[in-house]
Amino acid sequence: MSSEPFHWPLFANAASAHEKSPSLAGPLDKDCLQGSKYTGEPKGRNLTIAGVQTYVSEASRHGGHWSGNGGAKVIIFFSDVFGPFYINNELLQDYFASKGFHVLGPDYFGDPIQNHGGETGFNQTEWLEKSVQQADTKLPGWITKVRGTYVSNAKYSAVGYCFGAPYAMNIGATGDVVASTRFAHPAFLTEDHFNRLTSEVETDVTFPPESLRRSHDLLSQQNATYHLQVFSNTTHGFATRSDPEDPNSTWAKEQSAKSVVEWFNRFSA
C-alpha cells in the first residue's frame, strides 16, 4: 500500500475542485431514503478504529478463513445514508465475508438518516452537510489506521453505495485497491471521479441514463478495466433495500452482490 495521503471529495455545496467538473450523479433524492428493511441476525461486530465505529465482518465467522498472512482479501464498505450498522447493510457485509473477504464498514455518520424518520423540523440539508464534513474529516485517519493494522500485502477492494460512491471512487484512484472500484446507485459523482480513475440501476434520478452513458465513454477513453451492469425495472437503492416481495428486484440485488464478489475475486487472487 502506498503512503500517500488520501484526498477526499467534498460534496453538495462545499467548495472543492470537483465542483468545476460536470455532475453525473446528483444529490440525495427521496429514493435514497426509502426501501424495504430486512430481518436477520448479523454476524459482524462493532470495532472502534481511529475513533470511528466500524462494522467488521470476518470470513472466519462464516466458516471461511482470514489470516494476517499474504493472500488476505479486504473489502472497504462505504455505506449509503443508513450507515454500516443498518441491518440491510450488515447482512450485505456479512454476505461478502461469507465469500472469503474481511469486510470493514466505517460509520462516518454516527447519526444515520433513519434516526430522523418523522422528526418534526428535521433539516436534511444541514444533516447532509454535517455528514459530509464528518466523513471528510474521519476517513483519512481511519484509512491510515486500517492500512497500519492489516498486513501490507493484503488485497484491498472498495465498494460504495449512494453516499459512499464518491469515497469508493476516490480510493480507487489512489492505487491502494487492487480492484477497479465498485459502486451501485451512486450519488454526488462528477466526471472528475471517472477521469481520475460498476452495477447500475435502470431508473435512477441521481444517476440517469445519460450519466451512465457518459461514464462509459469516460472509462472507455481511458482504456480502463471496467464492468457495467444495468438491471431493468429497478430503482435507486435496489442493491441494499429492494422489495423482497418483488422477484425482479430481489434477483437484481442478489446478482449485484454476486458480481461484486466475482469482480473483486478477479483482482484479489
Side-chain angles (χ1 to χ4, degrees):
M1 307 289 285
S2 86
S3 59
E4 291 299 311
F6 288 86
H7 300 285
W8 302 100
L10 299 176
F11 310 152
N13 298 319
S16 77
H18 293 305
E19 285 190 339
K20 299 177 182 179
S21 180
S23 176
L24 292 181
L28 296 184
D29 185 82
K30 62 181 180 63
D31 287 340
C32 301
L33 313 176
Q34 299 175 346
S36 299
K37 184 176 182 178
Y38 305 150
T39 58
E41 189 66 32
K43 296 184 178 180
R45 57 195 174 105
N46 186 337
L47 182 66
T48 300
I49 300 176
V52 179
Q53 298 295 301
T54 305
Y55 187 80
V56 178
S57 191
E58 298 158 302
S60 59
R61 290 175 177 248
H62 300 267
H65 177 69
W66 185 87
S67 69
N69 300 317
K73 298 185 294 184
V74 179
I75 289 179
I76 298 176
F77 184 95
F78 295 111
S79 76
D80 56 22
V81 292
F82 291 85
F85 292 99
Y86 188 63
I87 183 62
N88 296 30
N89 290 330
E90 289 177 326
L91 295 176
L92 181 55
Q93 290 171 90
D94 287 348
Y95 170 77
F96 294 147
S98 74
K99 300 302 180 181
F101 290 89
H102 189 70
V103 187
L104 299 98
D107 182 10
Y108 29 63
F109 300 109
D111 178 33
I113 195 71
Q114 64 269 25
N115 287 359
H116 303 281
E119 179 180 312
T120 302
F122 172 60
N123 189 315
Q124 181 177 304
T125 299
E126 290 183 359
W127 176 88
L128 176 61
E129 291 176 349
K130 176 196 71 171
S131 299
V132 168
Q133 184 177 31
Q134 289 178 172
D136 288 345
T137 299
K138 293 178 178 180
L139 281 174
W142 183 87
I143 291 289
T144 298
K145 182 65 174 179
V146 167
R147 293 160 72 200
T149 300
Y150 298 100
V151 293
S152 60
N153 59 345
K155 303 293 182 66
Y156 286 79
S157 300
V159 63
Y161 297 87
C162 190
F163 181 98
Y167 294 110
M169 291 292 285
N170 269 23
I171 195 172
T174 65
D176 283 292
V177 292
V178 297
S180 296
T181 304
R182 178 83 181 193
F183 65 85
H185 41 78
F188 306 114
L189 291 182
T190 69
E191 288 194 6
D192 187 48
H193 286 107
F194 290 90
N195 284 326
R196 293 174 54 225
L197 278 177
T198 110
S199 81
E200 297 308 329
V201 53
E202 184 181 54
T203 305
D204 191 340
V205 294
T206 68
F207 197 60
E210 57 270 23
S211 293
L212 176 60
R213 289 190 289 270
R214 179 57 179 158
S215 68
H216 176 275
D217 290 342
L218 291 168
L219 292 168
S220 180
Q221 289 168 12
Q222 299 174 67
N223 197 30
T225 300
Y226 64 96
H227 174 60
L228 298 173
Q229 285 179 302
V230 179
F231 294 98
S232 64
N233 300 315
T234 56
T235 58
H236 186 93
F238 82 97
T240 55
R241 303 183 304 279
S242 65
D243 181 358
E245 300 301 318
D246 180 351
N248 181 73
S249 183
T250 298
W251 179 85
K253 174 181 72 71
E254 293 173 350
Q255 289 301 310
S256 175
K258 289 178 182 178
S259 61
V260 168
V261 170
E262 292 171 356
W263 183 249
F264 289 166
N265 273 332
R266 177 182 173 186
F267 299 96
S268 299

